[in-house]
Amino acid sequence: MPKAEKKKSIYRFAVYIVIFVLCVSGFGNIRAKADETGGAISVSSMVEEGTGNIDDGSFQYVATDISYKIKTASTPLDDVNSYYDWKIYEGGYIYSQLNEAEKALYDKFAESSEQLIKTTVDCKVDKANVSGTVKQIAYHQLCYSTELTLDRAKDIAWLFIWQNPQYYFYNNNVYSGQNTSTGKVYVALGVYTDFASGVDRADATVEFAEALMDKEEYLEGELNGISDVCKRETLIHDELCEWLRYGKNPYDQSAYSALCGSMAGITQCAGYAKLFALLLNRFNIPAIGVFSYDHGWNVVNINGEWYNADATWDDSQSTKAYLNRSDSYFLSLGSHVPRSYYDGILPGCPFDLNMVNTESEELVNDKAEGIEISYRTRLQTFGWLPKVKNGQISGVVKSGKRLQGFTAEVSGEKDLGIRYRSFISDYGWEEWVEDGERSGQNLNQRIEAIMIELTGKEAADYDVYYRVYISKTGWMGWAKNGAKTGSIGLNQKIEAIQINVLFKGEYPVSGTLGVPFMEQAGTEEVLDDVANTAASVYYRAYVQGVGYQRYVGDGSIGGLPGSGKRLEGLNIKVNNAQLGVSGGIKYRTYVQTYGWLKWVTSSGNTVAYSGTKGEAKRIEAIQISLTGALASKYDVYYRVYAQDYGWLGWAKNGASAGTSGFAKRMEGIQITIVPKGTAAPGSTSNSFEKKTLSQ
């Protein structure tokens, strides 16, 4: 198509009166007949702020209530399809990391999206009630999976949306559900209602394609003769920041807002990140779209190494401070923690480009006014890193480099000091050191666990929080005031640490308070001088062929997961002194032959036992609840390691964890207590597997 002809076909929207339909994060309800199910499907729609309902008779297209009309394109859609390969804009790395079942669902989304961008098929449209306001929602197909869980299917939907910015009509909505009779899970991708009509969308596709081609032709001229990948990426970054400015746009969750309409170029972080990824992939620079709970950015491959890049923040501050930075730096910003569905598939970004340290300049957590805590770490290969402060990350996550030493000190207006100690592999716990002294003197060995506590006359008015990043597991939960963090006996090294001092009773703004420390329970009768007296809950297992293990606490591992040895009984008790309120803990076990046993309760000095001894009966499941004042202020979380299943999801407050009806033994357990309203220690999906009549 000649460029002059393309130019003539570019049109502009007349007036924007409609208010942007908010992007998704809450829950709603859709009732519809699902293809191939022969039954009803209850679908949960991720609608921000409220719920919506769709009846199965409402799937025909309903015109959107707007006062402007998209102009008819002068170029036919078929002409655009003849010269456009939309797949060249896709970031392929994430797809390569998926398993076969995940790829199968991803492929269904791709097939559905190809229909939307290449044909005039109408979407399904109806109205949803969002916080008392009726709004329209639209989607094309309910794509299904017979192998994935509902949560994982939704994960794949989000990953698809962010890796395919060329499908401009998606508005970051996800509708999902599971057939009540077949178990199939269904997910549909939300479409802007203005693009639900196939005729209107065809016109918008032509507009989007021609605007995109203009940008590409301009960049081709600018990039001509530049072979250095970093320079090419930087030029695209700079041009993008020149074209765009941050602001509200009816389509600001899409690259469409960055290129089209009377408000073209005004967009938000999603528009920046999607257009940046689209252009980078177009010019053979691999890029990934990444999304946290409140922000979007990119991960970019430069000469085989991955780096974080945030064009939104660079543009807003007229800087390149957020271009090609490490995970350590981006995590320190607080708003750049990728959503959980990227876990295990997002490539690590261990370094800043052309920088050898990971020093951050931004605070990630609130801090106690008038108090500053500074610390630094000695990292394998890197040596001592620069000081960081008040919750910043010291170390390099996902680097494979072990922490070999650290120092910490407190300054400010209050009478506070700090002391700390390290557990070193092949050595054990070192003695306490304080106020800037070095911990981890055996520098050739890795630090596996850490304890930190405040000193000084005003220590009782503050809490010191700290957490570590360990290999194979990732970020542990926050520990505080002398509790252990890290692991012992699991062959995992610490790669990074965060420390912060808060007013008594305040909590860190990110992460979880559950499972700060893990060790494999042994059978030693006498604990050493660093028994975890700061734990909130203690438990010990009675194991087949072993007998009683010793007590462990706060997420450490009771039992022998993977050993083939069954759990036959459990003692559990709470640490009221640490938790600061009265109450106890009650629990019951599901035992081979007997089923659910009676509830037993531990409180005060009384420690109850649930299970059997000497009967060779396996525990298959467990329920645990708090009692008294504890129940009103805290949640108890627990998960089990089940034969053939491995670790199941976290259950809480009396829910069942384990299996029933499959004759599978429990081999391990973790238990932790966290303040109400704080995050779960991990995934809560599939905590209990129960055999149904159909099985």
Side-chain angles (χ1 to χ4, degrees):
M1 179 188 298
K3 184 172 181 181
E5 182 181 343
K6 289 185 299 174
K7 287 285 189 180
K8 291 179 182 178
S9 67
I10 297 176
Y11 39 79
R12 294 286 182 261
F13 286 113
V15 184
Y16 282 102
I17 299 178
V18 69
I19 299 176
F20 172 55
V21 178
L22 295 171
C23 64
V24 220
S25 64
F27 294 92
N29 226 354
I30 297 177
R31 293 190 304 275
K33 285 185 178 179
D35 52 330
E36 301 186 13
T37 66
I41 174 174
S42 175
V43 183
S44 190
S45 69
M46 310 274 296
V47 181
E48 189 178 61
E49 299 184 23
T51 61
N53 291 284
I54 290 183
D55 296 323
D56 57 358
S58 305
F59 280 168
Q60 68 276 12
Y61 171 70
V62 180
T64 52
D65 184 17
I66 56 178
S67 57
Y68 66 88
K69 174 68 176 174
I70 298 174
K71 291 182 179 179
T72 302
S74 59
T75 302
L77 179 63
D78 287 344
D79 287 356
V80 171
N81 289 331
S82 69
Y83 66 81
Y84 247 92
D85 178 9
W86 292 103
K87 292 183 179 180
I88 66 174
Y89 302 104
E90 176 184 6
Y93 180 89
I94 293 297
Y95 182 85
S96 71
Q97 304 302 302
L98 303 179
N99 62 36
E100 292 307 310
E102 292 166 343
K103 286 180 178 178
L105 181 59
Y106 193 104
D107 289 341
K108 288 184 173 71
F109 294 140
E111 182 180 352
S112 176
S113 302
E114 283 282 292
Q115 292 179 25
L116 288 179
I117 206 164
K118 290 185 175 181
T119 74
T120 57
V121 61
D122 286 338
C123 291
K124 303 173 178 69
V125 179
D126 209 293
K127 293 182 178 180
N129 190 311
V130 183
S131 294
T133 301
V134 176
K135 298 183 179 181
Q136 287 186 315
I137 59 174
Y139 61 97
H140 179 215
Q141 289 181 337
L142 292 171
C143 299
Y144 70 88
S145 174
T146 59
E147 300 177 73
L148 301 179
T149 65
L150 184 58
D151 283 344
R152 190 55 183 162
K154 289 187 288 187
D155 291 348
I156 303 306
W158 287 112
L159 290 170
F160 179 87
I161 289 172
W162 275 83
Q163 307 321 307
N164 289 273
Q166 71 275 24
Y167 300 130
Y168 66 89
F169 33 76
Y170 291 135
N171 60 2
N172 287 5
N173 289 279
V174 168
Y175 307 106
S176 62
Q178 188 163 15
N179 184 273
T180 54
S181 59
T182 67
K184 281 185 180 180
V185 299
Y186 289 79
V187 179
L189 310 181
V191 173
Y192 284 110
T193 54
D194 296 328
F195 304 136
S197 161
V199 174
D200 287 345
R201 192 178 60 257
D203 290 338
T205 297
V206 174
E207 180 191 29
F208 182 72
E210 294 183 342
L212 181 58
M213 181 169 286
D214 284 343
K215 295 299 186 187
E216 291 175 14
E217 290 179 352
Y218 174 80
L219 287 172
E220 282 177 351
E222 295 296 307
L223 294 169
N224 185 38
I226 301 176
S227 59
D228 183 272
V229 177
C230 184
K231 290 181 179 179
R232 290 171 67 85
E233 177 227 23
T234 302
L235 187 148
I236 295 171
H237 166 276
D238 291 350
E239 292 295 341
L240 184 129
C241 291
E242 182 70 23
W243 297 334
L244 304 181
R245 65 184 178 87
Y246 190 88
K248 195 70 174 172
N249 184 310
Y251 310 102
D252 55 24
Q253 299 305 297
S254 162
Y256 188 89
S257 61
L259 297 175
C260 301
S262 60
M263 297 177 69
I266 300 174
T267 190
Q268 296 192 357
C269 61
Y272 277 85
K274 288 179 179 179
L275 182 59
F276 196 25
L278 187 151
L279 293 173
L280 289 171
N281 286 316
R282 164 64 180 83
F283 289 100
N284 300 313
I285 303 174
I288 298 169
V290 187
F291 191 49
S292 71
Y293 283 97
D294 55 7
H295 193 54
W297 68 99
N298 301 100
V299 169
V300 184
N301 190 292
I302 307 294
N303 298 323
E305 194 68 56
W306 292 94
Y307 302 92
N308 292 287
D310 189 336
T312 309
W313 281 27
D314 276 345
D315 190 33
S316 65
Q317 299 180 29
S318 300
T319 181
K320 291 187 178 67
Y322 306 104
L323 181 63
N324 300 333
R325 301 303 302 264
S326 68
D327 286 334
S328 295
Y329 179 74
F330 262 47
L331 286 172
S332 75
L333 302 175
S335 56
H336 290 69
V337 180
R339 288 200 180 189
S340 60
Y341 44 73
Y342 288 99
D343 289 350
I345 60 175
L346 193 65
C349 304
F351 307 106
D352 294 313
L353 188 61
N354 299 323
M355 301 175 72
V356 296
N357 65 63
T358 59
E359 184 175 14
S360 303
E361 298 176 352
E362 304 287 336
L363 304 182
V364 298
N365 287 327
D366 295 330
K367 69 182 186 71
E369 185 177 355
I371 302 297
E372 182 169 286
I373 181 166
S374 59
Y375 45 98
R376 63 186 307 201
T377 56
R378 186 185 193 277
L379 203 64
Q380 177 190 4
T381 303
F382 294 102
W384 287 100
L385 301 181
K387 283 186 178 181
V388 296
K389 59 186 179 181
N390 303 331
Q392 293 176 325
I393 297 171
S394 183
V396 181
V397 300
K398 302 179 184 177
S399 67
K401 304 299 183 182
R402 61 182 177 267
L403 200 72
Q404 297 175 326
F406 79 103
T407 70
E409 53 191 326
V410 178
S411 60
E413 306 166 357
K414 307 298 181 181
D415 187 347
L416 289 177
I418 191 168
R419 69 173 194 158
Y420 40 93
R421 68 192 313 186
S422 302
F423 184 94
I424 299 175
S425 62
D426 300 325
Y427 180 83
W429 285 103
E430 289 189 326
E431 295 298 319
W432 291 93
V433 295
E434 58 186 3
D435 297 333
E437 296 178 329
R438 294 183 181 182
S439 182
Q441 299 301 313
N442 193 348
L443 298 179
N444 291 324
Q445 301 296 320
R446 65 175 177 266
I447 294 178
E448 295 183 345
I450 286 170
M451 299 170 69
I452 304 175
E453 62 185 24
L454 296 173
T455 60
K457 294 179 180 179
E458 297 181 81
D461 297 329
Y462 298 89
D463 292 319
V464 58
Y465 281 95
Y466 43 99
R467 68 172 182 169
V468 297
Y469 185 98
I470 62 176
S471 60
K472 304 179 187 177
T473 298
W475 283 108
M476 302 295 288
W478 291 96
K480 71 172 182 177
N481 302 343
K484 298 175 186 175
T485 186
S487 67
I488 292 178
L490 302 181
N491 196 31
Q492 298 196 53
K493 54 182 169 285
I494 295 176
E495 298 180 8
I497 187 172
Q498 292 175 281
I499 312 173
N500 208 355
V501 176
L502 304 178
F503 290 113
K504 181 67 68 175
E506 292 184 351
Y507 306 125
V509 297
S510 62
T512 175
L513 300 179
V515 193
F517 172 76
M518 289 193 301
E519 64 177 329
Q520 177 63 64
T523 57
E524 303 90 340
E525 294 183 2
V526 180
L527 300 181
D528 61 23
D529 65 328
V530 273
N532 200 357
T533 56
S536 60
V537 61
Y538 303 99
Y539 43 98
R540 65 173 179 175
Y542 190 91
V543 181
Q544 171 192 357
V546 175
Y548 276 118
Q549 294 181 315
R550 67 176 173 85
Y551 279 101
V552 293
D554 282 353
S556 284
I557 300 169
L560 298 170
S563 68
K565 294 185 179 295
R566 63 182 173 266
L567 267 62
E568 298 182 0
L570 285 165
N571 294 121
I572 310 174
K573 59 182 179 178
V574 295
N575 185 353
N576 296 102
Q578 175 69 9
L579 295 168
V581 292
S582 62
I585 191 166
K586 67 176 185 177
Y587 43 100
R588 64 173 181 167
T589 51
Y590 187 96
V591 177
Q592 174 188 358
T593 305
Y594 300 130
W596 286 108
L597 301 184
K598 293 181 179 180
W599 289 93
V600 297
T601 301
S602 296
S603 62
N605 294 323
T606 300
V607 182
Y609 181 85
S610 184
T612 61
K613 294 179 186 175
E615 298 185 40
K617 301 292 186 185
R618 64 180 172 269
I619 295 178
E620 298 180 10
I622 190 169
Q623 297 172 337
I624 308 174
S625 290
L626 300 175
T627 66
L630 278 174
S632 64
K633 293 189 176 183
Y634 291 92
D635 293 320
V636 57
Y637 280 94
Y638 42 98
R639 69 171 183 168
V640 306
Y641 187 100
Q643 175 188 356
D644 296 337
Y645 286 90
W647 285 109
L648 299 177
W650 290 89
K652 76 170 182 175
N653 298 345
S656 298
T659 65
S660 174
F662 296 104
K664 302 297 183 184
R665 62 183 172 268
M666 267 176 53
E667 297 181 4
I669 188 168
Q670 293 175 280
I671 309 172
T672 191
I673 295 177
V674 302
K676 279 195 175 296
T678 58
S683 172
T684 57
S685 299
N686 303 322
S687 59
F688 182 63
E689 297 288 343
K690 183 177 181 180
K691 193 171 187 177
T692 63
L693 292 177
S694 62
Q695 294 175 298

